[in-house]
Amino acid sequence: MTAVQAVLLVLVAVAGTFVALTREPLRQAILVGVFGLILALLFFALQAPDVALSQIVVGGVALPAMVLLALAEVRARQANTEDEDE
Amino acid sequence: MIVFACGAAGLAALLAWAFSGLPEFGHYAGRYGRIIGRIAVPDRATTNAVTFVAFDVRAVDTMVEEFIVFAAAIAAVALLRHQRGEPERGQRTDEVLRPKTSPTLLFVGALLAGPTAVIALNVIAHGAITPGGGFQGGVVLAATVVVMVAAGARARLPADEPPLLAEITHGLGAAGFVLLGLAGLIFAGTFLSTTWAGHGTPGALLSGGAIPLLNVATGLEVAGALAVILGEFLEQHMLAAEEPES
């Protein structure tokens, strides 16, 4: 195992812990994107460029985008029900 | 807490035991990978062995995977449309749905959309030669759609108009993969055989038989599926956001 791989492994562990410890969903969505990009770097260092390519887009764009959209949806719905209550 | 401590300790012990038995990095013990490494270039002219496995040796797996994506997209769309209610769609035929974006986002989105699309097509087209392929390129293509929506592009055509381009792409990709498989059955005698489309020079753009074609089909399918899901989410979000005002 090279130094690059070791450093990236530790970084992935640290980033993953931060994602799990974040309690605010919006921050978590951004952090999970950063985590995904670090994970992609690790895949690249482990000589899996095919997987790294998918990971960059899925982890860096698609997953955070879906979480953000779901969040927006939930918030809009909450705002709607509050309006009805008033 | 005590339960967690016991569980964590047990897991750590098992992990340490498992890791101690791992072969050293780069020391591959299986036979299958060696065979693949030996035949990928002489037999199929694919310099990217990963694509060779995914689209030739394990092409049926890839086809089923593609249909998982296909079914997932349809399920998501069905659920979201059901929640929103169909009659509401009909009422909004003349409205153009536009997300509100800041000028900065618009500029960055417009700047990124073109290059992202080119990268996506590049990754799909060179799947058989360099790292990449239909799945990777397809997701990049879907990311292009996200970027375009962020830049203020219309997320969806009104309900009465013909289906969105993404939906057509989605279906075409799934059908294309099966049709290419049938082409293998007709021209080479085996379902999803890739040898019928010629051999080509290793490293050339059009090499590896039907593998580049299968990559294009997969790329269309994955990009279409993700664009359909994201488009559906976006539309719902925008409809929901507009409701309090009306």
Side-chain angles (χ1 to χ4, degrees), chain B:
Chain B
M1 195 64 205
I2 298 164
V3 177
F4 174 75
C6 291
L11 184 68
L14 284 172
L15 268 181
W17 184 31
F19 278 135
S20 66
L22 276 181
E24 222 172 300
F25 182 69
H27 289 251
Y28 178 70
R31 192 187 294 163
Y32 186 72
R34 292 184 203 286
I35 296 172
I36 295 293
R38 208 176 305 132
I39 67 172
V41 174
D43 274 21
R44 296 288 192 276
T46 45
T47 46
N48 179 12
V50 177
T51 311
F52 168 58
V53 173
F55 290 95
D56 194 314
V57 187
R58 287 268 177 272
V60 178
D61 291 25
T62 309
M63 188 180 77
V64 178
E65 254 173 63
E66 195 178 310
F67 275 93
I68 293 174
V69 179
F70 185 73
I74 290 177
V77 169
L79 279 174
L80 289 172
R81 283 191 186 162
H82 175 69
Q83 281 184 353
R84 189 166 61 237
E86 285 296 326
E88 193 183 28
R89 284 165 60 80
Q91 291 164 10
R92 293 177 175 270
T93 45
D94 52 336
E95 270 184 58
V96 177
L97 298 168
R98 242 173 225 282
K100 300 172 191 75
T101 47
S102 69
T104 318
L105 199 58
L106 204 144
F107 177 73
V108 174
L111 204 68
L112 280 177
T116 322
V118 172
I119 289 171
L121 296 179
N122 182 50
V123 169
I124 294 175
H126 291 84
I129 308 160
T130 50
F135 273 102
Q136 291 88 339
V139 190
V140 180
L141 203 56
T144 312
V145 177
V146 177
V147 168
M148 280 162 66
V149 172
R154 196 157 58 152
R156 164 173 276 279
L157 296 169
D160 284 351
E161 284 184 27
L164 185 67
L165 188 64
E167 287 169 13
I168 301 171
T169 314
H170 182 207
L172 265 186
F177 202 100
V178 178
L179 286 179
L180 285 169
L182 288 176
L185 189 63
I186 292 165
F187 296 119
T190 317
F191 186 63
L192 278 171
S193 164
T194 59
T195 46
W196 56 272
H199 191 76
T201 329
L205 179 60
L206 289 175
S207 62
I211 292 176
L213 297 174
L214 288 171
N215 268 306
V216 171
T218 310
L220 289 178
E221 152 65 17
V222 172
L226 279 170
V228 164
I229 299 177
L230 289 170
E232 203 64 36
F233 256 119
L234 275 173
E235 187 189 15
Q236 185 165 40
H237 166 47
M238 281 179 278
L239 284 176
E242 280 168 16
E243 264 163 23
E245 293 159 24
S246 60

